[in-house]
């Protein structure tokens, strides 16, 4: 059931657009009052990757404290405080831990705020990489 729910989340279809030469899809997710809650942008990615970078929340910290979850730490204080890594691929985790450019890029992405929106998640699954922006009030 867990994997079915995970795969369902990758099946969103957005409007197709082109950024220079790279095609991408985007979608606005609205609530019942037609107010935008999220904005998603996705591109094609290698099909072998399955990971999530998400903004670390109080619930994530609580689960770690209680021993209900274990999060991979990359050894960079700002990254480890801001980003919660969801992946059980040891090779992938080693790759990001040893790559200062990836760590710096992810920190900058999660620190980015534009027009009362911020990155809440970067997800890669089933050949798609997408970023979800939480839209403010």
């Amino acid at each position: 059931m867990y994997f079915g729910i995970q795969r369902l989340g990758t099946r969103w279809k957005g409007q197709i657009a082109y950024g220079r030469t790279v095609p991408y899809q985007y979608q606005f997710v609205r609530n019942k009052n037609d107010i935008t809650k999220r904005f998603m942008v996705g591109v094609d990615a290698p099909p072998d990757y399955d990971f999530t970078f998400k903004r670390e929340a109080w619930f994530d910290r609580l689960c770690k404290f209680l021993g209900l979850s274990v999060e991979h730490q990359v050894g960079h204080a700002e990254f480890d405080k801001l980003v919660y890594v969801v992946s059980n691929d040891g090779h992938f985790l080693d790759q990001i831990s040893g790559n200062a450019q990836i760590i710096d890029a992810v920190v900058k992405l999660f620190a980015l705020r534009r027009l009362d929106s911020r990155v809440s998640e970067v997800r890669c699954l089933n050949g798609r990489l997408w970023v979800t922006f939480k839209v403010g009030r």
Side-chain angles (χ1 to χ4, degrees):
M1 192 163 100
Y2 169 78
F3 292 111
I5 292 170
Q6 289 296 318
R7 298 215 188 296
L8 186 63
T10 64
R11 300 182 71 67
W12 65 272
K13 297 287 182 193
Q15 300 291 320
I16 296 175
Y18 292 88
R20 298 189 185 173
T21 59
V22 178
Y24 65 94
Q25 291 186 27
Y26 68 93
Q27 179 185 40
F28 291 95
V29 179
R30 303 178 192 282
N31 66 12
K32 64 182 179 182
N33 297 324
D34 203 35
I35 297 172
T36 301
K37 297 184 338 181
R38 294 190 315 264
F39 174 69
M40 300 165 69
V41 178
V43 296
D44 290 336
D48 303 337
Y49 289 99
D50 179 1
F51 68 86
T52 302
F53 296 140
K54 65 179 198 155
R55 189 171 293 278
E56 188 165 307
W58 69 269
F59 186 74
D60 300 318
R61 289 188 284 278
L62 176 65
C63 288
K64 287 192 301 188
F65 176 77
L66 295 175
L68 299 173
S69 68
V70 177
E71 179 202 9
H72 179 77
Q73 303 288 299
V74 300
H76 184 277
E78 191 175 7
F79 182 99
D80 290 336
K81 181 180 177 185
L82 184 62
V83 180
Y84 189 88
V85 180
V86 181
S87 178
N88 59 1
D89 181 346
H91 179 70
F92 171 75
L93 296 173
D94 290 343
Q95 289 281 327
I96 64 168
S97 294
N99 192 320
Q101 288 180 314
I102 292 175
I103 291 170
D104 186 51
V106 172
V107 167
K108 285 179 181 176
L109 186 63
F110 274 85
L112 183 67
R113 288 185 176 265
R114 291 284 197 270
L115 301 173
D116 202 21
S117 67
R118 65 182 186 172
V119 172
S120 63
E121 181 179 84
V122 176
R123 181 81 168 112
C124 188
L125 181 65
N126 292 339
R128 178 182 274 187
L129 173 71
W130 71 94
V131 178
T132 302
F133 295 86
K134 182 179 180 187
V135 178
R137 300 180 181 173

